[in-house]
Amino acid sequence: MKQLNELTGVVDTTERLTFTFNRKKYSGFKGDTIASALYREGVRVFSRSFKYHRPRGLMCLSGSCPNCMVNVDGTPNLRACVTPLEPGAQVTSQNAWPSPQTDLMGFFDHLGSFLPVGFYYKTFMRPKTMWPVYEMILRNVAGLGKLDPRPEGYQEIEYEKQYRHAEVTVVGGGPAGMSAALAAAGLGARVVLIDENLALGGHLRYHKGDRRPSISPIIPFVNGEASDFTGLARKLSQAVYASENIEVLLGASAFGWYEGNLLGVVQVDRLIKLRTDQLVVATGQMEQPLVFENNDLPGVFLGSGLQRLAHLYGVKPGERAVVVTNNDYGWHVAVDLLAIGVEVSMVAEARRQMPDCPAAAHVRASGVPVLAGYTILKAQGKSSVEAALLIELGEDGAPIPGEDTPTGEDTPGGSEVAVACNLIAVSMGFVPNNALLCQSGAQIAHDPSLDNFRVSSFPPAVLGAGHAVATDGVDSLVLEGRAAGLQAALRLERLDEGIKRQGSSQLIDSQRRLDRARSPKEHQLAFRTLASVPGKSRKKFVCYCEDATEKDLRDAIAEGFDDIETLKRYSTVSMGPCQGKMCSLNTIRVCAHETGRSIAETGRTTSRPPFVPVKLGVLAGRKLEPTRHTPMHHQHLALGAKMMDAGQWKRPEHYGDPHAEVLAVHEKVGVIDVSTLGKIEVFGPDSLPFLERIYTNRFANLKIGRIRYGVMCTEEGVIFDDGVVARLGEGHYYLTTTTSGIGGVYEWLTWWLATWRLQVHVENVTADYAAVNLAGVCARETLAKLTDLDLSSEAFPYLHLRQTDVAGVPTRLMRIGFVGEMGYEMHFPAPYGPYIWQALMQAGAEFGIRPFGVEAQRVLRLEKGHIIVGQDTDALSDPLGAGLDWTVKLDKPDFIGKAMLASRKKRGLREMLIRFEMINPGSVPGEGEQIVENGRFIGRVTSARQSPTLEKSIGMGWIPPEKAAPGTRLQVRVNGRQEDAVVVAAAFYDPDGKRLRA
Amino acid sequence: MKENSVPFRVSALDRKAEHLGGQIEQRGGWRVAAVYSNPETEAAAVREGVGVADISPMRKLALKGKAASALLQETFGEAPEKVGDVLAVEFDDTEVLAVKLVSDEFLILASPGMQQITLEYLKERQDGRFITILDRTAGLAGLVVAGPKSNLVFRKCCALSFHSEDFPSLYAAQSSVAKVRTIILRHDRGEIPAFELFFDRAYAEYIWDALMDAGKEFGIQPFGWQTSQLLKK
Amino acid sequence: MFQLTCPNCGLRNVSEFRFGGEISLRPKEANEQVWADYVYNRNNVAGVQTEWWFHRSGCQRWFNARRNTLNNEVLESKQDEAVE
């Protein structure tokens, strides 16, 4: 198609880009969107509607309606009219088969009466058993695009997240927004200017103005040079780019306002969390559709949509147009259409009085036929517009009642005129785009003089300017933007007095000029007629996303959903991808009209983020999952360890054969990396009283160099964590916690410190120390090769600690035995981890040392009957029932949980943690399985394993105390069967601890 | 000690350095990457874009207690005043930094071989006052992200403002970097913005990967100890 | 995401903090009723209340903040002088 010379589109016709749509080849230009390129190539039907599969074409060209949603390179639901065309893009249509032009599901359009409003609450309900079938069918025919989680042949999208900060953020790069940014930057503020388009300018880019020689001499940045809107846009944007203080984000949509002036901004596949001191919202306005029969037919455009198509992309939208309007803007649209060679067959002006604006004069002088006091009744055509049926309105601008009805709504009176055309431009007024303002807490009220909603008050640190606050007239836009920018900057605390004085006088000046410039008519925003034209038809669409018609709304209101919020929820109007941009105001009008209330009384629905569709991937951002490695991590990998997650840690689950690892510990010597254990040092003169209050145990009699197992409880008396407490010196203790418990324990300890105000310092030294447990009959001999310390049981007994050099590294050696064999827990500075591990493996080689993992440790401790907090205990487990009553010293003056434990003890135990073994040694119940008696639930299994040492299946579980005596027979469910088990005494292995203390 | 091997310390980023072709040297008992390609190329990358280096061997002494400020005063002749302030003091041509983290908590940063400021030295001057002094060298990994584009890397993983007015050189803050608690200390190398990060050593490989991923689009490059020396000049 | 002022680190995103609940006084006497109330019941004020917060991603200190639970406005945050 040849380029029209009047067109000043931003596309670069020298660079051709090819792409496919439904596998067919198309081409466009650099600067095109997918929609503009397809339209230029003759594509008219872009999608099929949500429910009725009606053909839908371009309408708004601004991303405000759902009509052009397509799948691009595997990503569904992208709005083609705001998605820049990339070479090689693979575009496919949605919700249509085989193509949107010939969609076989189009017959749904004839089933409308079977899909009434709220049909999903009423139909497809019975019989209940049929729901899965209904659901499958409904999901196939209704809805939007399909998400393929693993699209073949497409590159995985890299999403990312950014944090940004600004002193003043301006959303909207039109004349008001650019002026605001310039004014704030002029006072030295750090400004971020956001615009969803790929160029600054706002409506000045496609709305060409009055074509008068000069707009106004009062616009300060123009200095009287601008001859048209394009010139003004250029001047302002050049000044913006020249300013060092302004950062411009293009192609970026501010989709939500959050507490603390945080803006969610989406820029292609990037999420920007923009924290700003001051916010200026200059997001412009949105032209609104008119509700008439077949108002969704391809070829029915918003007037501004046609202007965008023509002026931004150089596309001639059609051959013959009918312009339907009720305000001066429609006449500008007519001027633009004439200028690009479109024949305007008719302008239907709803007002009886012809406007005296220059645009109207121009159109009439061009010989275009005009009908005053007319509007559109119906768009005619099969899959695109073929004619517009116009109808006469009454004196008051309202429909003329038909003969048979008093209201005229069913069959209107007045004469009808049919005009052949392939384009219908609807220009019935704008609604301020004030979603961000509403979200931020601005009060919005209906202004009867504008017949529209406007902001009545702003929250702190938020301002609005321009069309977004229902201001009109380009001079006013610039001046109001300027005033808002100055005001925002003046609120910054760091501005010095001189700058503040300068800014204040500029602000007074701008406001004075603004008062003079304000247009007395504010013509563009007038909505003097109904949003809806008469006619009983079912095909008058209010909500394009959800296929909700005016009749649906009337039916819903008749059913009692006459409050605007309930009407929204029941009819789902405004809940689709466009989020009410095209339907919110018309729904309010229909609701007001039907209920006989005023617009102000009807009110509006709450505005919530996101205002524009945001991909879930964008919200998820870059994958950031903090992972912790022990110092010996790579040695485990080299040894062939199978790693597992333990919270954020990576730990060896086993090195190939967990049972062999168990036996190695019992028979030779094993070593396990326990660096993940929480480690805390406690310092200070009040350390002892502090620990006495934290733990249930007594520590007053713990001597230096001694270790004691300790239990911490919550105030509820529930086990919170366990570990050992070693006394290193006067007022100096070393604590270990569980791997997963350390964060909580540290916060718990510091919280009580802040409450009690003791002279204690608590330091989390988990990462400072690597730790291994060297255990087994040959542990002593292995360690003896690396240290000069006397390791004999007399010199270094069980539950003692020694600080000494091991292989030349300062080490804390603790004789404790979680795994049930004699052993040493060695804690040493983390950077020596690889060295010590290597030294131990070398020293133990002659004894057959074997590294063991978490799985072997779990078996070993179960053989010994040791519990794991969090595995064998839950949020109800107290130490009395867990067999740890010996740690609970109720005779201490106070400790956390004492009061509740005392009362639990008084009331008696409800359940106890017992050890059991299965009669069938090969049967291992799953963790969490039920323990039953005569088929009735009496408890649950917390741990169970096959013990290679005992050649038995052993476990732990909670059951009522009366069944807990050793020797009691129980039944445990294993894989759905009940199998016999017997309660045994506390430890399966080495019950008297001889091996442990050896 | 019985077996005749010499203890060596490794940074938590030792393997990363090796995998990236770093030339590993022993310095003061630590294995450190001296250089990856050559110092001039690495320095140029840092001057124009952004680079990252492992500084885990740096000595990190933590002081906590009401009297900690007084102890610093006695040691350095002054102490950082406000939270976030970083004091730089020269000892025989080596710089020691003292960072005020909380009103009663400080971090001292010194080169690994620094003779004057040691744990023992500070403990000797404690004089019975209740100050907890710990050597956190083992527990804290250290990274430096340097170059004019370093703030672009940080804005992808930290919610703080890295604008020079909000975060000047010789200022420190504790915040979350890639979801990990981190001490962030800005310490420019001449004209080159540089941010030192200190965090739980167990996260070192994860943080390294997160920064390399965030910095990919800015051409982030690892640099070694030799390059650091070059950048100091 | 609202912001909270840490008495040490300044204004930060609330995601850096752990919420520690409303402040309450640990009973001194051994009355079961009083203890049950302390352990299990909360005032759940709709309005301004004083709360515990822990700056988990920052200085790792506990402090008290007065916050309006209706709009998340933080009126004051302070840390008691460490007693040593």
Side-chain angles (χ1 to χ4, degrees):
Chain A
M1 178 187 274
K2 93 179 165 61
Q3 285 297 294
L4 299 143
N5 41 10
E6 173 71 16
L7 300 180
T8 54
V10 293
V11 292
D12 177 1
T13 53
T14 63
E15 200 171 327
R16 202 168 259 282
L17 313 176
T18 58
F19 66 106
T20 63
F21 179 55
N22 290 334
R23 287 178 203 84
K24 211 177 135 198
K25 255 196 168 168
Y26 288 89
S27 74
F29 300 118
K30 194 174 178 224
D32 259 326
T33 61
I34 288 169
S36 66
L38 284 174
Y39 196 91
R40 192 188 293 108
E41 297 269 86
V43 172
R44 292 295 176 264
V45 180
F46 280 70
S47 68
R48 287 281 170 158
S49 70
F50 182 70
K51 210 160 85 178
Y52 301 122
H53 285 257
R54 287 169 65 87
R56 294 274 165 86
L58 301 183
M59 186 175 86
C60 71
L61 274 300
S62 59
S64 298
C65 75
N67 290 3
C68 66
M69 290 206 304
V70 289
N71 181 308
V72 183
D73 295 337
T75 304
N77 298 332
L78 293 179
R79 296 160 298 161
C81 70
V82 290
T83 306
L85 178 63
E86 299 285 344
Q90 297 180 40
V91 184
T92 51
S93 53
Q94 305 184 155
N95 206 28
W97 191 85
S99 78
Q101 190 65 48
T102 50
D103 175 20
L104 292 182
M105 288 187 277
F107 68 89
F108 275 94
D109 194 17
H110 307 291
L111 297 180
S113 52
F114 297 102
L115 300 170
V117 62
F119 72 92
Y120 36 79
Y121 295 127
K122 299 170 182 160
T123 49
F124 305 111
M125 288 296 174
R126 288 187 185 83
K128 224 174 174 177
T129 49
M130 279 296 282
W131 171 245
V133 180
Y134 296 146
E135 188 188 21
M136 194 186 72
I137 297 169
L138 287 175
R139 282 198 192 279
N140 268 325
V141 299
L144 305 164
K146 284 195 177 64
L147 184 68
D148 182 355
R150 264 183 288 276
E152 263 175 52
Y154 299 122
Q155 219 183 339
E156 196 174 322
I157 299 169
E158 283 191 27
Y159 295 103
E160 71 157 72
K161 183 173 69 179
Q162 265 187 19
Y163 298 93
R164 295 217 193 196
H165 301 261
E167 288 181 319
V168 175
T169 295
V170 181
V171 183
M178 288 192 285
S179 306
L182 285 166
L187 295 183
R190 269 145 54 195
V191 180
V192 169
L193 175 62
I194 299 171
D195 195 276
E196 61 183 353
N197 299 294
L198 293 173
L200 292 173
H203 74 289
L204 302 183
R205 295 171 64 223
Y206 58 85
H207 183 53
K208 297 300 168 184
D210 284 347
R211 292 170 207 287
R212 283 178 293 191
S214 167
I215 296 166
S216 161
I218 64 163
I219 295 169
F221 306 105
V222 180
N223 298 327
E225 286 172 35
S227 58
D228 59 4
F229 283 12
T230 313
L232 173 62
R234 194 175 298 127
K235 281 277 170 194
L236 288 171
S237 66
Q238 279 167 358
V240 165
Y241 285 116
S243 169
E244 278 187 6
N245 291 342
I246 305 176
E247 193 179 355
V248 181
L249 297 179
L250 292 178
S253 304
F255 62 82
W257 182 96
Y258 302 88
E259 285 170 310
N261 250 358
L262 179 70
L263 287 177
V265 180
V266 57
Q267 191 181 34
V268 197
D269 292 324
R270 175 186 296 145
L271 172 67
I272 300 169
K273 295 182 175 182
L274 177 65
R275 187 73 77 172
T276 186
D277 295 339
Q278 297 290 325
L279 173 65
V280 177
V281 177
T283 39
Q285 57 185 356
M286 297 175 293
E287 200 163 35
Q288 295 293 288
L290 181 69
V291 179
F292 59 92
E293 188 174 345
N294 288 340
N295 61 343
D296 63 335
L297 201 59
V300 178
F301 278 85
L302 297 179
S304 56
L306 288 175
Q307 287 179 309
R308 284 181 160 101
L309 205 47
H311 294 310
L312 298 180
Y313 310 110
V315 176
K316 183 180 172 182
E319 299 306 320
R320 273 183 319 282
V322 166
V323 177
V324 180
T325 189
N326 66 344
N327 63 74
D328 293 1
Y329 199 92
W331 294 91
H332 285 291
V333 173
V335 170
D336 282 0
L337 289 172
L338 288 171
I340 58 170
V342 176
E343 182 197 331
V344 179
S345 311
M346 182 71 74
V347 176
E349 165 64 80
R351 293 174 289 187
R352 296 221 136 204
Q353 179 107 41
M354 274 294 160
D356 63 353
C357 68
H362 177 91
V363 171
R364 297 173 76 183
S366 310
V368 171
V370 170
L371 277 173
Y374 272 72
T375 195
I376 189 166
L377 179 67
K378 182 180 183 180
Q380 292 173 326
K382 199 162 171 291
S383 68
S384 66
V385 168
E386 287 158 25
L389 186 61
L390 306 172
I391 188 167
E392 191 185 3
L393 295 166
E395 292 283 339
D396 53 354
I400 298 169
E403 279 172 12
D404 50 348
T405 56
T407 60
E409 273 166 21
D410 292 345
T411 345
S415 52
E416 293 177 8
V417 181
V419 184
C421 60
N422 59 4
L423 280 181
I424 297 173
V426 177
S427 202
M428 301 298 279
F430 292 79
V431 62
N433 183 357
N434 52 23
L436 280 181
L437 288 169
C438 295
Q439 290 172 20
S440 74
Q443 297 296 309
I444 310 284
H446 185 252
D447 182 343
S449 74
L450 284 179
D451 194 15
N452 213 324
F453 287 95
R454 74 189 304 173
V455 178
S456 56
S457 77
F458 294 105
V462 177
L463 292 163
H467 286 145
V469 292
T471 294
D472 195 28
V474 77
D475 296 1
S476 303
L477 297 177
V478 168
L479 287 164
E480 191 177 51
R482 191 163 187 251
L486 291 168
Q487 224 177 319
L490 285 169
R491 289 176 177 174
L492 299 174
E493 280 169 21
R494 69 166 181 88
L495 252 48
D496 70 43
E497 284 309 310
I499 298 279
K500 277 193 175 160
R501 271 194 303 278
Q502 180 200 328
S504 304
S505 72
Q506 286 176 8
L507 179 58
I508 292 165
D509 178 62
S510 301
Q511 273 164 343
R512 208 183 55 235
R513 289 175 175 196
L514 178 59
D515 289 339
R516 263 191 276 144
R518 275 195 196 278
S519 157
K521 298 195 294 182
E522 310 209 38
H523 48 93
Q524 289 189 14
L525 289 150
F527 278 99
R528 285 302 170 198
T529 58
L530 273 177
S532 164
V533 218
K536 201 178 169 179
S537 163
R538 278 195 302 112
K539 309 297 181 193
K540 293 162 70 179
F541 287 89
V542 175
C543 176
Y544 297 87
C545 300
E546 301 283 319
D547 258 2
T549 64
E550 187 192 41
K551 183 171 183 305
D552 289 334
L553 293 185
R554 283 189 191 160
D555 291 348
I557 291 164
E559 288 180 39
F561 299 97
D562 60 352
D563 176 87
I564 192 70
E565 291 282 3
T566 55
L567 178 60
K568 165 184 159 179
R569 282 156 181 76
Y570 186 63
S571 66
T572 69
V573 67
S574 82
M575 287 163 73
C578 98
Q579 286 292 290
K581 292 187 190 70
M582 293 288 103
C583 59
S584 194
L585 189 74
N586 283 338
T587 304
I588 294 167
R589 289 158 171 279
V590 170
C591 184
H593 185 256
E594 283 299 305
T595 57
R597 294 188 291 239
S598 70
I599 299 277
E601 284 164 345
T602 305
R604 56 210 300 283
T605 55
T606 306
S607 183
R608 296 184 182 89
F611 182 65
V612 296
V614 182
K615 289 195 264 178
L616 291 175
V618 169
L619 295 179
R622 221 151 46 91
K623 190 174 140 191
L624 284 178
E625 285 169 16
T627 308
R628 312 183 75 181
H629 294 142
T630 76
M632 293 81 100
H633 180 74
H634 292 283
Q635 285 159 312
H636 302 319
L637 296 182
L639 286 163
K642 178 180 180 289
M643 303 305 279
M644 60 176 270
D645 290 337
Q648 293 181 335
W649 289 100
K650 298 286 176 196
R651 298 194 70 182
E653 186 175 2
H654 56 77
Y655 299 83
D657 186 349
H659 280 185
E661 292 166 22
V662 169
L663 295 173
V665 172
H666 286 312
E667 290 157 15
K668 297 165 184 168
V669 56
V671 60
I672 180 171
D673 180 356
V674 292
S675 304
T676 61
L677 281 176
K679 306 170 203 86
I680 285 174
E681 277 191 59
V682 177
F683 301 89
D686 293 334
S687 297
L688 178 62
F690 176 64
L691 295 178
E692 286 278 354
R693 288 203 226 171
I694 289 291
Y695 286 93
T696 60
N697 312 61
R698 194 186 325 279
F699 291 103
N701 54 0
L702 188 71
K703 295 191 179 73
I704 292 173
R706 295 294 302 270
I707 299 166
R708 186 164 295 163
Y709 171 76
V711 174
M712 287 182 205
C713 283
T714 63
E715 288 282 33
E716 287 96 325
V718 165
I719 300 173
F720 171 52
D721 203 73
D722 70 347
V724 299
V725 176
R727 188 167 173 204
L728 297 178
E730 285 301 331
H732 188 191
Y733 293 83
Y734 188 57
L735 279 46
T736 64
T737 77
T738 61
T739 294
S740 55
I742 176 64
V745 169
Y746 179 73
E747 290 170 17
W748 180 249
L749 298 187
T750 50
W751 184 61
W752 284 109
L753 267 190
T755 309
W756 291 331
R757 304 187 181 199
L758 296 169
Q759 283 213 61
V760 173
H761 289 154
V762 171
E763 301 290 340
N764 180 353
V765 293
T766 301
D768 296 61
Y769 292 94
V772 295
N773 186 4
L774 180 72
V777 285
C778 300
R780 181 176 283 125
E781 286 161 278
T782 303
L783 186 60
K785 292 174 70 181
L786 299 170
T787 180
D788 298 326
L789 188 77
D790 181 354
L791 295 174
S792 68
S793 204
E794 297 71 40
F796 185 9
Y798 183 58
L799 291 180
H800 279 243
L801 170 140
R802 295 288 180 270
Q803 302 195 60
T804 185
D805 276 3
V806 173
V809 173
T811 303
R812 290 173 178 170
L813 286 176
M814 297 197 273
R815 272 206 64 188
I816 46 182
F818 184 54
V819 295
E821 288 290 350
M822 183 272 158
Y824 304 90
E825 203 168 280
M826 306 167 50
H827 293 230
F828 48 89
Y832 291 110
Y835 164 76
I836 289 283
W837 182 268
Q838 192 183 305
L840 284 171
M841 294 300 276
Q842 279 166 9
E846 62 176 289
F847 309 107
I849 195 169
R850 197 163 178 155
F852 64 102
V854 174
E855 178 57 26
Q857 189 189 40
R858 292 205 156 199
V859 175
L860 286 161
R861 67 90 201 181
L862 190 59
E863 290 172 349
K864 183 64 189 163
H866 285 155
I867 69 159
I868 297 177
V869 171
Q871 168 79 33
D872 301 303
T873 69
D874 64 16
L876 296 172
S877 311
D878 64 46
L880 307 172
L884 298 170
D885 44 335
W886 57 275
T887 68
V888 181
K889 305 297 180 194
L890 289 172
D891 57 340
K892 286 202 292 184
D894 190 19
F895 64 86
I896 312 274
K898 183 187 170 190
M900 287 296 147
L901 282 171
S903 102
R904 277 174 190 242
K905 185 164 191 169
K906 202 170 74 189
R907 291 197 180 121
L909 296 178
R910 284 163 68 183
E911 46 177 15
M912 280 182 75
L913 185 65
I914 51 106
R915 282 78 178 159
F916 65 84
E917 64 180 59
M918 303 301 294
I919 301 300
N920 173 2
S923 176
V924 183
E927 284 159 2
E929 283 280 22
Q930 294 180 355
I931 300 171
V932 292
E933 184 189 55
N934 300 328
R936 299 220 338 248
F937 171 89
I938 57 162
R940 66 214 181 279
V941 174
T942 59
S943 298
R945 285 288 188 282
Q946 182 78 45
S947 160
T949 322
L950 309 164
E951 294 180 336
K952 280 177 183 170
S953 164
I954 56 175
M956 287 192 205
W958 287 86
I959 56 168
E962 58 271 21
K963 326 245 184 248
T968 310
R969 283 274 174 155
L970 300 169
Q971 285 191 308
V972 178
R973 287 178 72 90
V974 185
N975 296 326
R977 291 188 316 276
Q978 290 177 17
E979 299 212 16
D980 289 328
V982 62
V983 178
V984 298
F988 300 95
Y989 182 77
D990 187 27
D992 48 6
K994 273 192 185 139
R995 296 179 72 93
L996 204 56
R997 290 161 205 277
Chain B
M1 199 199 79
K2 291 183 174 179
E3 303 270 311
N4 62 344
S5 53
V6 183
F8 59 88
R9 286 186 281 182
V10 301
S11 147
L13 292 161
D14 192 55
R15 284 299 168 106
K16 286 283 171 200
E18 234 176 62
H19 278 289
L20 289 163
Q23 202 178 299
I24 309 291
E25 286 176 4
Q26 289 268 357
R27 293 188 65 86
W30 289 81
R31 285 165 49 88
V32 292
V35 69
Y36 292 85
S37 51
N38 73 70
E40 282 73 26
T41 325
E42 287 173 17
V46 171
R47 285 197 189 96
E48 283 148 35
V50 55
V52 57
D54 181 11
I55 52 168
S56 298
M58 270 186 88
R59 181 177 302 153
K60 298 146 230 153
L61 304 174
L63 284 80
K64 194 189 267 185
K66 255 193 160 175
S69 184
L71 178 59
L72 280 184
Q73 195 100 33
E74 292 152 22
T75 314
F76 296 122
E78 51 182 321
E81 210 176 299
K82 295 190 302 293
V83 170
D85 283 358
V86 179
L87 177 73
V89 187
E90 293 268 327
F91 285 86
D92 293 346
D93 285 351
T94 16
E95 199 175 42
V96 175
L97 301 181
V99 189
K100 186 160 182 170
L101 296 174
V102 189
S103 60
D104 61 349
E105 192 180 333
F106 298 83
L107 184 69
I108 294 175
L109 297 161
S111 60
M114 174 74 181
Q115 293 300 310
Q116 289 91 335
I117 305 298
T118 60
L119 185 70
E120 295 69 30
Y121 178 90
L122 292 171
K123 279 191 166 170
E124 275 165 25
R125 278 152 190 77
Q126 207 168 335
D127 201 17
R129 291 171 290 189
F130 180 36
I131 307 169
T132 296
I133 310 170
L134 285 178
D135 187 345
R136 303 304 302 271
T137 307
L140 293 173
L143 282 175
V144 60
V145 180
K149 290 182 179 165
S150 43
N151 61 332
L152 300 180
V153 177
F154 282 118
R155 76 176 179 197
K156 290 170 79 174
C157 45
C158 180
L160 296 186
S161 167
F162 288 90
H163 193 279
S164 280
E165 276 173 36
D166 301 327
F167 211 127
S169 192
L170 290 184
Y171 176 77
Q174 301 185 80
S175 186
S176 161
V177 173
K179 300 186 183 169
V180 171
R181 186 174 88 95
T182 303
I183 298 167
I184 310 160
L185 187 158
R186 180 162 176 186
H187 185 202
D188 290 358
R189 313 293 199 248
E191 293 288 295
I192 309 166
F195 295 87
E196 294 175 3
L197 309 179
F198 300 100
F199 48 86
D200 182 326
R201 117 174 219 135
Y203 291 111
E205 293 196 353
Y206 158 76
I207 290 279
W208 176 275
D209 289 343
L211 290 173
M212 292 302 262
D213 184 40
K216 201 167 49 187
E217 62 177 301
F218 314 110
I220 197 165
Q221 292 292 330
F223 64 94
W225 172 83
Q226 285 181 13
T227 310
S228 302
Q229 295 300 107
L230 199 66
L231 289 167
K232 278 184 188 161
K233 285 168 197 164
Chain C
M1 187 193 303
F2 74 97
Q3 289 175 297
L4 192 63
T5 301
C6 164
N8 295 308
C9 306
L11 195 64
R12 295 294 177 87
N13 288 344
V14 71
S15 60
E16 290 201 359
F17 299 88
R18 169 192 166 174
F19 178 58
E22 61 190 50
I23 57 159
S24 58
L25 270 183
R26 197 162 181 265
K28 295 252 185 289
E29 75 264 50
N31 179 317
E32 268 198 9
Q33 209 51 50
V34 174
W35 270 97
D37 189 50
Y38 162 72
V39 172
Y40 297 108
N41 294 333
R42 302 289 178 270
N43 292 321
N44 197 23
V45 171
V48 177
Q49 69 173 8
T50 307
E51 302 167 335
W52 282 106
W53 287 87
F54 178 74
H55 194 184
R56 186 181 268 165
S57 303
C59 61
Q60 300 237 301
R61 297 295 177 97
W62 286 96
F63 62 94
N64 293 139
R66 284 204 306 130
R67 180 179 67 105
N68 187 337
T69 59
L70 296 175
N71 61 9
N72 283 331
E73 194 185 341
V74 181
L75 304 142
E76 187 191 13
S77 58
K78 64 173 186 198
Q79 187 170 28
D80 288 329
E81 279 285 288
V83 180
E84 271 150 22

